[in-house]
Amino acid sequence: MNIFKKLTPSQSLVKQALRGHAWMGLFWAALLYLICFSGALVVFFPEMERWEQPLADEYSHMDAGAIEQSLVNIQQQIPHKLESLYFIYPSEDMPRSHVSAVLEDKTQTIDTEWWLDSSGQLVEPVSAPWTEMITDLHIYLHLPHTLGIIIVGMLGAMMCGLMISGLLAHPNLFKDAFKLRLGSNRHMEQTDIHNRLSVWGLPFFFVVSLTGAYIGLFGVSMTVVDWMEKDHDSKQIIAEVFGGDPAINEPVQNINMTQIKQDLLERAPEASPIYLVVQKPGSEEQYVEVAASLPQRLIYSEIYRYHSDGTFIDYQHLSDGSVGRQVAYSSYRVHFGHFGGMATKILYLLLGLVMTVITATGVNMWFSKRKIHNHWSVLWRAFVWATPAATALAAAFSMVLSLSAVVVFWFALVVLSLGIFAFFNQSWKWKGVAEQNYLMGLKYLTTITVVFLVFCHGFKHPHQPWYWWFSLCMILLSAMPLFEYRKLIQTAPKTAKFKSPISVN
Amino acid sequence: MNILMYLLALLGLLLVVICWQQAQKLGRQQRTTLRLSLVVVSLILGWLSFIAFQENEGTEFAWFFMLFHFSWLAWILLASKAHVKFNDKTVKTVKSVAAEHNWLYKSSILLLAGPVALFSSILIALCISKLFIAELANQWVLTFIIMPIIWGALATWFAADEKRLRPLLITLLLTAVCYGWLL
């Protein structure tokens, strides 16, 4: 008997899986869409931050003396007790460095993060409200952080569930693997797009959802540790998984960066430093951690620890510790696509955008199968296209008029989504404009806003070629939905009558 | 990074997808031997691609490149073979359909798929980890990794099964067993 037939789930299982898949998908669709959309963009967050706040002085290297100077400068700038002090090295993504301080008193609201020039002087506070808005949307959905990260983690878990039910609900997975029927029937078309994109992209979607859920639900799991584990508490488990902190007690002294740099170069010549942390600065417990990435390794970094005078303490064994530790510390790069250079980032952007298409077509399938055309169906379509428009408007209003990016985003998202009702309800119908035109208007609004923003923001930075290259990429990305992709695909040989095909949104 | 090696690896992956497509086409004509040989060729090509990625970027990255690059190559192949069939039929639509279940039923599913499934999934994941893994760090990392999968699967089961009692009873039984074992 054919092995595929043996593996095919029964009809009743398929029906049940489909039901569960539809329920879960519909219930979480809007939030999943926001997470996937923001996640696709967040892959480029260092570039977005650089674009949002261009600086004249960019460099790829900073000497040890300048780093020491920058640490002294930030401590003079912030006369409060500090928990830790971060120095972030210049990198290929962000060819400039910055310092940031973590205050012991979290209620203080002062600038704690500053860009540096190549000599280690503080240039200006880090301020990228739009990038922050998108990263916060992806990580916390703009909710209070503890609640937000749990909900986002939960959505990762739900996506894992959706993948399992999606596979069970798809008995012709292999038979239909190369089938794409466009145009003939809206339901069939949406189904084919949804299934082909999700089946072929499954490894990526699974890995990203799982790592997202793992990152988001870490706090919840830790709460359970405290409750269930008799022998260990959550702090001990964290120390066991990620490595514990050294106990230091020595007189306060200045940090000897030259010695640290020299030792690291001898100890791990292939390591390239990402950031440096001064723990408990100005106290007797002060010590330095240098996080450095290792070539061809997925772990975010190895962490090398030093006394203030540059004497080596130990390293955290993130690269050669237990398998669990290495896996846990690899989740960041795997989730955000920060490995393998620019090609991987572009791949992640593409696959992330495909996840948004899968979410959108999933809901479209549900409506088109039942042939429903009501307030909910048009609201969903408007929401899908209002999200990029609201993101672009948030960028424009925050960068040009200094308004809150979060407020503008949600205001625009709600108004533009609800705006479709003016074109849906016959009694309100405004100048006979159809819903399709409103949706097209939203796509144009996104592109026009991005073009406007690029030039308004760019007036301040006309001589920076990188700024204009990235701007061009942003314009092209925002204009992608305007392109009629069907023109690239052949028309079926027997075409009786020509009429505009059913739109895919 | 050697760009030529990278491109060769991608080409190998594209050929793998083409092999699968051809094998599927032949399957309809029942030409089993040729079909099997295409599958074997695809495996060899896949292995060569892996070697090329590995030479270029190391073993860890190579696995992920293999898994992730398949997607877009297959989509390009799909789009290149697809046809748009234009249709001028107007679809009759309806404003609403009868709801399958009332709000009470839906709320109960939400409760079961949310906190109940979360709690159960943590206990089940912890139990599985402790059962199979000895080292504490590995135990907890495995718990963190399998917990979302179990939660997602349980939530989908609660939403899928017409008989609400069946997943509920099995979940409660599993949770009780795990709780008892962990204590």
Side-chain angles (χ1 to χ4, degrees), chain B residues 25-166:
Chain B
K25 265 188 191 173
L26 290 170
R28 286 178 211 140
Q29 297 154 19
Q30 301 294 316
R31 293 163 72 178
T32 315
T33 321
L34 197 55
R35 199 178 173 202
L36 274 174
S37 53
L38 275 170
V39 173
V40 172
V41 170
S42 78
L43 288 175
I44 295 166
L45 284 167
W47 178 69
L48 289 173
S49 287
F50 180 79
I51 299 287
F53 276 134
Q54 197 184 25
E55 285 292 313
N56 219 19
E57 302 269 8
T59 311
E60 290 180 10
F61 290 7
W63 280 112
F64 285 95
F65 286 145
M66 287 292 286
L67 289 172
F68 297 167
H69 278 301
F70 256 116
S71 320
W72 67 273
L73 293 166
W75 293 329
I76 286 179
L77 191 72
L78 264 165
S80 69
K81 303 282 176 195
H83 291 274
V84 182
K85 196 175 168 188
F86 288 98
N87 183 6
D88 56 359
K89 279 182 197 160
T90 321
V91 180
K92 278 187 185 171
T93 57
V94 291
K95 288 271 180 212
S96 63
V97 288
E100 245 182 285
H101 296 286
N102 59 22
W103 278 104
L104 191 68
Y105 180 88
K106 288 173 185 169
S107 309
S108 69
I109 294 294
L110 191 64
L111 180 77
L112 292 173
V116 173
L118 168 66
F119 180 72
S120 305
S121 63
I122 295 175
L123 289 185
I124 296 168
L126 192 54
C127 218
I128 293 171
S129 307
K130 282 187 182 279
L131 203 60
F132 293 107
I133 307 280
E135 200 186 327
L136 190 65
N138 294 349
Q139 228 173 51
W140 277 97
V141 172
L142 185 68
T143 306
F144 300 147
I145 288 173
I146 59 174
M147 188 267 275
I149 304 172
I150 298 172
W151 187 12
L154 282 179
T156 313
W157 190 17
F158 279 121
D161 208 321
E162 283 283 357
K163 293 171 188 161
R164 251 181 311 176
L165 217 55
R166 184 164 49 186

Side-chain angles (χ1 to χ4, degrees), chain B residues 11-31:
Chain B
L11 181 69
L13 278 185
L14 179 65
L15 292 171
V16 170
V17 183
I18 292 173
C19 281
W20 289 351
Q21 193 205 25
Q22 292 304 317
Q24 202 202 44
K25 265 188 191 173
L26 290 170
R28 286 178 211 140
Q29 297 154 19
Q30 301 294 316
R31 293 163 72 178

Side-chain angles (χ1 to χ4, degrees), chain A residues 249-362:
Chain A
N249 196 341
E250 59 192 15
V252 181
Q253 55 184 307
N254 287 337
I255 291 153
N256 186 343
M257 269 316 296
T258 315
Q259 176 59 32
I260 290 174
K261 191 180 169 185
Q262 189 57 39
D263 183 87
L264 186 62
L265 206 63
E266 286 163 15
R267 197 171 295 280
E270 289 191 313
S272 64
I274 310 168
Y275 66 88
L276 171 154
V277 197
V278 183
Q279 298 287 9
K280 308 268 166 44
S283 76
E284 288 174 346
E285 295 145 80
Q286 173 178 294
Y287 67 96
V288 180
E289 291 179 324
V290 181
S293 64
L294 299 173
Q296 304 191 344
R297 293 301 310 271
L298 270 170
I299 51 154
Y300 183 70
S301 66
E302 181 55 88
I303 294 179
Y304 301 88
R305 298 188 276 213
Y306 292 91
H307 289 281
S308 303
D309 64 358
T311 317
F312 180 70
I313 303 171
D314 62 5
Y315 69 101
Q316 221 165 308
H317 294 282
L318 297 164
S319 57
D320 57 4
S322 65
V323 179
R325 187 177 287 190
Q326 293 187 46
V327 170
Y329 218 57
S330 299
S331 58
Y332 176 86
R333 281 194 196 280
V334 175
H335 187 77
F336 286 100
H338 288 192
F339 64 95
M342 188 51 82
T344 311
K345 281 189 169 189
I346 294 169
L347 179 69
Y348 265 63
L349 174 71
L350 171 80
L351 293 168
L353 290 175
V354 165
M355 279 178 103
T356 64
V357 176
I358 291 169
T359 315
T361 50

Side-chain angles (χ1 to χ4, degrees), chain A residues 59-78:
Chain A
Y59 44 90
S60 54
H61 174 259
M62 203 162 173
D63 61 46
I67 297 172
E68 276 173 24
Q69 186 59 47
S70 72
L71 295 172
V72 171
N73 289 343
I74 185 85
Q75 289 185 83
Q76 282 171 353
Q77 181 73 29
I78 303 171

Side-chain angles (χ1 to χ4, degrees), chain A residues 107-375:
Chain A
T107 54
Q108 297 279 347
T109 50
I110 50 169
D111 287 320
T112 54
E113 211 170 343
W114 288 73
W115 293 117
L116 300 166
D117 65 15
S118 50
S119 64
Q121 299 302 316
L122 308 184
V123 179
E124 58 181 277
V126 173
S127 171
W130 178 63
T131 308
E132 205 178 309
M133 185 279 285
I134 295 180
T135 47
D136 274 7
L137 179 65
H138 183 68
I139 302 170
Y140 310 111
L141 281 168
H142 295 155
L143 292 167
H145 286 189
T146 310
L147 176 68
I149 201 161
I150 291 173
I151 291 180
V152 172
M154 179 200 67
L155 288 167
M158 294 305 121
M159 285 194 73
C160 293
L162 282 168
M163 280 171 229
I164 296 168
S165 57
L167 281 173
L168 290 173
H170 197 166
N172 297 329
L173 185 95
F174 296 105
K175 198 175 148 197
D176 291 347
F178 294 97
K179 210 178 264 180
L180 185 61
R181 294 158 294 184
L182 298 174
S184 57
N185 168 314
R186 180 171 169 80
H187 176 60
M188 197 186 284
E189 179 182 88
Q190 296 287 305
T191 308
D192 273 2
I193 294 172
H194 182 85
N195 290 349
R196 293 305 87 74
L197 291 181
S198 37
V199 166
W200 284 107
L202 194 67
F204 172 80
F205 306 144
F206 184 71
V207 166
V208 167
S209 305
L210 193 60
T211 46
Y214 153 75
I215 295 167
L217 296 173
F218 192 80
V220 176
S221 308
M222 282 297 115
T223 312
V224 179
V225 171
D226 283 333
W227 183 60
M228 287 300 301
E229 273 277 350
K230 289 195 200 83
D231 306 330
H232 312 92
D233 61 17
S234 53
K235 278 184 186 166
Q236 287 171 316
I237 298 286
I238 291 172
E240 188 65 36
V241 175
F242 295 105
D245 296 332
I248 306 292
N249 196 341
E250 59 192 15
V252 181
Q253 55 184 307
N254 287 337
I255 291 153
N256 186 343
M257 269 316 296
T258 315
Q259 176 59 32
I260 290 174
K261 191 180 169 185
Q262 189 57 39
D263 183 87
L264 186 62
L265 206 63
E266 286 163 15
R267 197 171 295 280
E270 289 191 313
S272 64
I274 310 168
Y275 66 88
L276 171 154
V277 197
V278 183
Q279 298 287 9
K280 308 268 166 44
S283 76
E284 288 174 346
E285 295 145 80
Q286 173 178 294
Y287 67 96
V288 180
E289 291 179 324
V290 181
S293 64
L294 299 173
Q296 304 191 344
R297 293 301 310 271
L298 270 170
I299 51 154
Y300 183 70
S301 66
E302 181 55 88
I303 294 179
Y304 301 88
R305 298 188 276 213
Y306 292 91
H307 289 281
S308 303
D309 64 358
T311 317
F312 180 70
I313 303 171
D314 62 5
Y315 69 101
Q316 221 165 308
H317 294 282
L318 297 164
S319 57
D320 57 4
S322 65
V323 179
R325 187 177 287 190
Q326 293 187 46
V327 170
Y329 218 57
S330 299
S331 58
Y332 176 86
R333 281 194 196 280
V334 175
H335 187 77
F336 286 100
H338 288 192
F339 64 95
M342 188 51 82
T344 311
K345 281 189 169 189
I346 294 169
L347 179 69
Y348 265 63
L349 174 71
L350 171 80
L351 293 168
L353 290 175
V354 165
M355 279 178 103
T356 64
V357 176
I358 291 169
T359 315
T361 50
V363 179
N364 291 348
M365 275 163 68
W366 192 86
F367 283 120
S368 61
K369 189 178 180 184
R370 289 155 186 80
K371 298 188 171 63
I372 297 173
H373 184 70
N374 62 8
H375 283 83

